C-alpha cells in the first residue's frame, strides 16, 4: 500500500517535473524491474540464511529509495532510486509468502494464502491517498510521505516483532 503507489505517480515526475515523455517513463519502469530482478536473484542465492532480516531490510530499502526519490533534483537520480525501490520490493515479496507458509499450521495455509493474495488486489487502494496528497501538496511531498510511513511501520515491526528478525 505504500511503495506501489509511487509507480502510479511516475508520469507526474516524468512530465511535470522533468519535462520528458513516454520513452523516459518506460525506461524508469524498466529500471525498477531490473532492481526487482536483482533482488529476486539475491533471495534465490541467499538460501535459508537470515530471511527475516532480509525481508525487513527489503522494506527499509524501499522506504529509503522513496524518500531519496522525493528529494533528488534530476531524473538520473530518480532512476537509480526506482531501481533501489524495485530491489527492496523484490526482497520483501520474494520472502514474504515463503515465510508466511512456513510459519502457518498446515490446516490454515490455504486461508492464509488467500488473505495474503488479497494484498495484491488491495495495493491500488494506496494510490487514492497518494493521489490526494499529490493534488494537495505535490508529488514529491506525497512520495516522501509514502516513504516515511513505510519507514515508521517497519520501525514498529522491528521493535515489536523480534521473532521475525531471527527467522531463517
Amino acid at each position: 500500500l505504500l511503495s506501489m503507489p509511487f509507480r502510479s505517480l511516475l508520469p507526474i515526475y516524468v512530465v511535470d517535473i522533468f519535462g520528458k515523455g513516454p520513452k523516459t517513463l518506460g525506461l524508469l519502469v524498466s529500471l525498477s524491474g531490473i532492481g526487482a530482478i536483482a533482488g529476486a536473484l539475491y533471495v534465490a542465492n541467499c538460501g535459508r540464511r537470515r530471511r527475516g532480516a532480509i525481508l525487513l531490510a527489503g522494506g527499509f530499502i524501499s522506504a529509503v529509495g522513496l524518500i531519496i526519490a522525493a528529494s533528488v533534483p534530476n531524473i538520473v537520480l530518480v532512476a537509480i532510486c526506482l531501481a533501489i525501490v524495485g530491489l527492496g520490493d523484490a526482497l520483501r515479496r520474494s520472502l514474504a509468502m515463503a515465510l508466511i507458509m512456513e510459519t502457518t499450521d498446515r490446516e490454515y495455509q490455504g486461508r492464509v494464502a488467500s488473505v495474503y493474495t488479497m494484498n495484491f488486489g488491495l495495493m491500488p487502494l494506496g494510490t487514492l491517498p497518494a493521489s490526494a496528497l499529490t493534488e494537495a501538496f505535490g508529488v514529491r511531498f506525497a512520495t516522501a510521505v509514502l516513504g516515511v510511513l513505510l519507514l515508521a511501520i517497519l520501525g514498529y515491526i522491528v521493535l515489536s516483532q523480534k521473532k521475525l528478525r531471527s527467522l531463517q
Side-chain angles (χ1 to χ4, degrees):
L1 290 173
L2 296 172
S3 65
M4 290 301 291
F6 180 59
R7 287 156 183 86
S8 299
L9 302 177
L10 275 179
I12 298 169
Y13 273 93
V14 171
V15 175
D16 294 349
I17 293 180
F18 298 114
K20 303 290 182 186
K23 289 180 184 178
T24 302
L25 179 60
L27 179 65
L28 291 176
V29 173
S30 297
L31 287 169
S32 176
I34 289 169
I37 289 170
L41 289 173
Y42 177 80
V43 168
N45 191 41
C46 77
R48 298 180 70 87
R49 298 182 320 250
R50 302 178 41 96
R51 294 184 301 165
I54 293 169
L55 173 80
L56 293 169
F60 280 108
I61 290 168
S62 294
V64 169
L66 289 172
I67 293 167
I68 294 171
S71 61
V72 294
N74 70 44
I75 198 149
V76 173
L77 295 175
V78 170
I80 293 168
C81 290
L82 267 170
I84 291 169
V85 171
L87 172 83
D89 284 351
L91 291 174
R92 199 169 21 84
R93 284 197 219 146
S94 296
L95 288 170
M97 185 56 131
L99 292 174
I100 287 170
M101 296 312 283
E102 287 177 10
T103 58
T104 301
D105 293 334
R106 190 163 181 77
E107 64 265 17
Y108 299 113
Q109 285 181 345
R111 294 176 197 150
V112 170
S114 296
V115 171
Y116 178 76
T117 303
M118 283 183 2
N119 176 41
F120 297 103
L122 294 175
M123 276 192 263
L125 287 179
T127 303
L128 182 62
S131 298
L133 281 173
T134 298
E135 185 69 29
F137 302 105
V139 70
R140 290 184 185 270
F141 179 82
T143 303
V145 167
L146 293 171
V148 168
L149 284 173
L150 183 55
L151 202 58
I153 290 168
L154 285 163
Y156 172 77
I157 291 170
V158 166
L159 294 174
S160 67
Q161 304 296 317
K162 292 180 179 26
K163 184 178 177 183
L164 178 59
R165 289 187 306 230
S166 62
L167 281 177
Q168 298 296 325

